[in-house]
């Protein structure tokens, strides 16, 4: 192992980091995390903090989940890899598909297609949506609808349905036929509407207008996060998702919920679809499926998909990944599902989520730098920072960075994305851990 000085010196010079510029990693060296335990992480200088980011929305069970580690080790000893391409499979993947069907049965899911992560799951959903309509004799249904501010990964398909220019502009032109409607974002929206229920109706009206303009017969699917995550934790009014589901069904449009963040208890419900009482046609999942311990994902498929693909001998899926159904990932996922259920993490996510949300609202009373606090559904909270609360002018990056660094020095890793400070800690967070995060935020805002 190289010493700390070597690692600090060579990080930005040898490795390019996601979601930032290569130059930034040199000018503003990232925290080098060398250890973790429970819900805390330790950096190369020995500074230990509560991880308010949960790895990257994915370490729901914390960093010391021994059953998952044991499952990975045992699987490595018996079968470290085998393909699930035509003609072969493995026992762990079969068992996992059974357990996932049971877990997502209330959401109407019947089958699993395994991937290497969230972007892969989204890409698979988009491809299968187009193939579904071709198999049904409607090859003209090729377009996709999504929400502005939505995030759907980094593949060309996912980037095309992404609703944030930061993930699109540098790589355009992207996939044609992708159209975006306004998100139910009460703090900033083109209607200047602050009432969540009214805004939901306005966004749904925009969806119907876009369908009429494009022609329902040209649209393959609508993809949306049940709660927008990376876009700044934007929860819609409870009426929004059911209205979207009804419109899609009425127009023959498949509904895909991007549950890469929201599945497995993050929202205080077992899935985002279940939170809003809908049954989509497909659900893209990943992240917490293996607690971040192994790259893995699953696209879950509902009855519509099953009937069309399994009743048609010509329905060959010309898509897949080398690591689809990887036995080590499947073993990790099986252990994660068992622990997630045993600990009933949805209850703690709801309780601790309310604690963080209410604590952030109290901070808003003290600091004018806080323009909006969003959350209230499990352990998903965002603080939108502004330089002027009256005009909602976004905070400048340097001040946002001071808030983040101040919080880190005071005991919590938090994530700043644009003007948003996002909290997505492990679902095994304790009351004391949540208090530590809030105290660190207080120090961060004071420092800025």
């Amino acid at each position: 192992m190289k010493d700390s000085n070597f690692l600090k010196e060579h990080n930005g010079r040898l490795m390019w980091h996601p979601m930032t510029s290569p130059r930034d990693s040199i000018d503003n060296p990232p925290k080098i995390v060398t250890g973790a335990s429970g819900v805390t992480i330790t950096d190369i200088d020995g500074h230990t903090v509560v991880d308010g980011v949960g790895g990257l929305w994915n370490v729901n069970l914390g960093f010391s989940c021994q059953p998952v580690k044991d499952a990975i080790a045992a699987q490595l000893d018996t079968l470290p890899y085998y393909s699930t391409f035509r003609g072969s499979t493995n026992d762990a993947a079969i068992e996992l598909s059974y357990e996932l069907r049971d877990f997502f049965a209330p959401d109407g899911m019947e089958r699993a297609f395994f991937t290497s992560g969230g972007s892969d799951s989204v890409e698979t959903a988009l491809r299968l949506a187009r193939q579904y309509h071709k198999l049904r004799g409607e090859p003209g249904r090729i377009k996709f609808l999504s929400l502005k501010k939505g995030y759907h990964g980094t593949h060309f398909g996912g980037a095309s349905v992404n609703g944030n220019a930061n993930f699109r502009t540098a790589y355009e032109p992207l996939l044609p036929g992708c159209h975006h409607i306004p998100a139910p974002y009460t703090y900033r929206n083109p209607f200047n509407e602050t009432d969540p229920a009214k805004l939901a109706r306005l966004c749904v009206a925009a969806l119907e207008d876009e369908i009429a303009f494009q022609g329902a017969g040209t649209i393959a699917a609508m993809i949306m996060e049940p709660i927008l995550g990376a876009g700044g934790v934007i929860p819609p009014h409870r009426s929004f998702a059911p209205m979207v589901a009804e419109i899609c069904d009425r127009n023959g449009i498949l509904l895909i919920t991007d549950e890469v963040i929201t599945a497995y208890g993050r929202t205080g419900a077992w899935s985002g679809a279940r939170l809003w009482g809908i049954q989509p046609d497909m659900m893209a999942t990943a992240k917490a499926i293996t607690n971040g311990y192994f790259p893995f994902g699953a696209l879950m498929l509902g009855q519509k998909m099953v009937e069309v693909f399994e009743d048609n001998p010509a329905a060959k899926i010309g898509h897949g990944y080398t690591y689809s159904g990887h036995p080590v990932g499947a073993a990790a996922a099986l252990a994660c599902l068992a622990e997630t259920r045993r600990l009933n993490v949805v209850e703690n996510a709801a309780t601790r989520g309310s604690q963080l949300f209410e604590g952030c609202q109290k901070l808003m009373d003290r600091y004018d730098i806080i323009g909006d606090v969003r959350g209230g559904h499990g352990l998903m909270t965002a603080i939108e920072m502004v330089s002027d609360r009256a005009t909602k002018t976004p905070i400048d990056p340097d001040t946002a960075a001071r808030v983040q660094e101040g919080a880190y020095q005071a005991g919590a890793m938090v994530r700043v994305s644009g003007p948003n400070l996002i909290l997505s800690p492990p679902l095994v967070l304790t009351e004391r851990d949540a208090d530590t995060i809030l105290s660190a935020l207080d120090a961060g805002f004071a420092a800025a």
Side-chain angles (χ1 to χ4, degrees):
M1 181 71 176
K2 300 293 186 181
D3 64 33
S4 61
N5 289 331
F6 175 92
L7 296 174
K8 290 178 181 179
E9 179 183 353
H10 286 83
N11 172 73
R13 301 184 187 281
L14 298 177
M15 178 171 65
W16 283 7
H17 288 259
M19 302 300 178
T20 189
S21 70
R23 185 72 236 175
D24 181 67
S25 296
I26 296 173
D27 295 341
N28 300 289
K31 301 290 185 281
I32 302 175
V33 179
T34 57
S37 177
V39 300
T40 65
I41 56 174
T42 301
D43 67 25
I44 201 166
D45 297 316
H47 185 52
T48 298
V49 300
V50 173
D51 183 17
V53 187
L56 195 61
W57 301 93
N58 56 347
V59 188
N60 283 13
L61 302 175
F63 295 95
S64 304
C65 192
Q66 197 60 43
V68 183
K69 296 178 184 180
D70 291 343
I72 289 172
Q75 188 62 48
L76 284 170
D77 280 342
T78 56
L79 180 67
Y81 172 76
Y82 213 79
S83 163
T84 60
F85 275 39
R86 182 178 182 272
S88 63
T89 187
N90 64 76
D91 52 350
I94 298 168
E95 185 178 350
L96 177 60
S97 63
Y98 176 86
E99 293 296 334
L100 285 172
R101 184 181 68 173
D102 181 65
F103 187 87
F104 288 111
D107 303 299
M109 298 295 106
E110 298 284 345
R111 302 288 189 273
F113 186 100
F114 294 122
T115 72
S116 301
S119 293
D120 289 348
S121 294
V122 168
E123 187 77 8
T124 302
L126 299 178
R127 288 189 178 210
L128 295 187
R130 282 187 169 178
Q131 188 175 5
Y132 166 89
H133 291 294
K134 292 180 190 297
L135 290 169
R136 292 182 69 251
E138 294 188 86
R141 286 185 178 267
I142 60 171
K143 298 176 184 175
F144 297 106
L145 301 175
S146 57
L147 296 175
K148 293 178 180 179
K149 303 295 290 183
Y151 179 79
H152 302 290
T154 57
H155 293 348
F156 256 73
S160 301
V161 294
N162 270 349
N164 189 322
N166 290 337
F167 307 117
R168 299 169 52 86
T169 306
Y171 311 104
E172 291 174 334
L174 296 171
L175 188 70
C178 297
H179 306 280
H180 302 78
I181 68 164
Y185 177 22
T186 53
Y187 192 61
R188 300 180 192 274
N189 63 78
F191 312 107
N192 293 317
E193 179 57 69
T194 58
D195 180 272
K198 291 180 180 178
L199 180 58
R201 291 194 294 271
L202 288 168
C203 292
V204 164
L207 171 62
E208 292 206 273
D209 180 70
E210 190 65 29
I211 291 171
F213 178 74
Q214 297 295 334
T218 70
I219 301 170
M222 166 86 182
I223 182 169
M224 69 177 187
E225 299 166 277
I227 295 176
L228 280 70
V233 184
I234 301 171
H237 187 264
R238 63 181 179 275
S239 65
F240 180 73
M243 288 191 290
V244 170
E246 188 279 325
I247 290 167
C248 287
D249 186 61
R250 173 161 36 93
N251 288 280
I253 298 168
L254 294 173
L255 177 60
I256 306 162
T257 55
D258 184 338
E259 306 260 3
V260 172
I261 286 172
T262 53
Y264 310 107
R266 171 64 61 185
T267 69
W270 286 123
S271 72
R274 219 171 304 179
L275 176 69
W276 303 128
I278 63 172
Q279 289 194 336
D281 299 302
M282 289 182 274
M283 299 172 66
T285 81
K287 290 195 183 290
I289 195 171
T290 58
N291 203 48
Y293 291 9
F294 196 92
F296 200 83
L299 175 70
M300 301 305 300
L301 304 136
Q303 190 59 36
K304 281 184 188 177
M305 305 297 293
V306 173
E307 289 174 357
V308 168
F309 278 81
E310 294 187 3
D311 290 347
N312 189 334
K316 177 183 177 181
I317 299 173
H319 169 77
Y321 303 96
T322 299
Y323 301 114
S324 291
H326 195 296
V328 179
L334 282 165
C336 275
L337 279 175
E339 274 299 278
T340 294
R341 284 168 152 160
R342 185 185 72 82
L343 296 173
N344 197 25
V345 295
V346 289
E347 289 189 1
N348 192 61
T351 302
R352 297 282 76 81
S354 294
Q355 180 186 352
L356 278 182
F357 180 58
E358 291 165 8
C360 289
Q361 287 179 313
K362 291 177 181 177
L363 289 173
M364 185 174 177
D365 295 334
R366 297 180 55 192
Y367 297 103
D368 289 341
I369 197 175
I370 299 176
D372 192 32
V373 174
R374 295 184 293 276
H377 300 284
L379 279 165
M380 299 179 69
T381 303
I383 296 172
E384 185 160 344
M385 298 177 288
V386 295
S387 59
D388 187 305
R389 189 181 282 181
T391 61
K392 300 183 181 181
T393 304
I395 194 171
D396 66 274
D398 289 342
T399 305
R402 287 201 299 274
V403 174
Q404 184 176 23
E405 181 62 21
Y408 184 79
Q409 294 304 322
M413 171 70 88
V414 298
R415 181 174 175 229
V416 169
S417 178
N420 295 308
L421 188 153
I422 296 175
L423 300 174
S424 55
L427 306 192
V428 292
L429 199 74
T430 67
E431 181 178 5
R432 183 176 180 180
D433 297 327
D435 282 337
T436 298
I437 293 173
L438 291 168
S439 176
L441 285 174
D442 194 355
F445 287 118

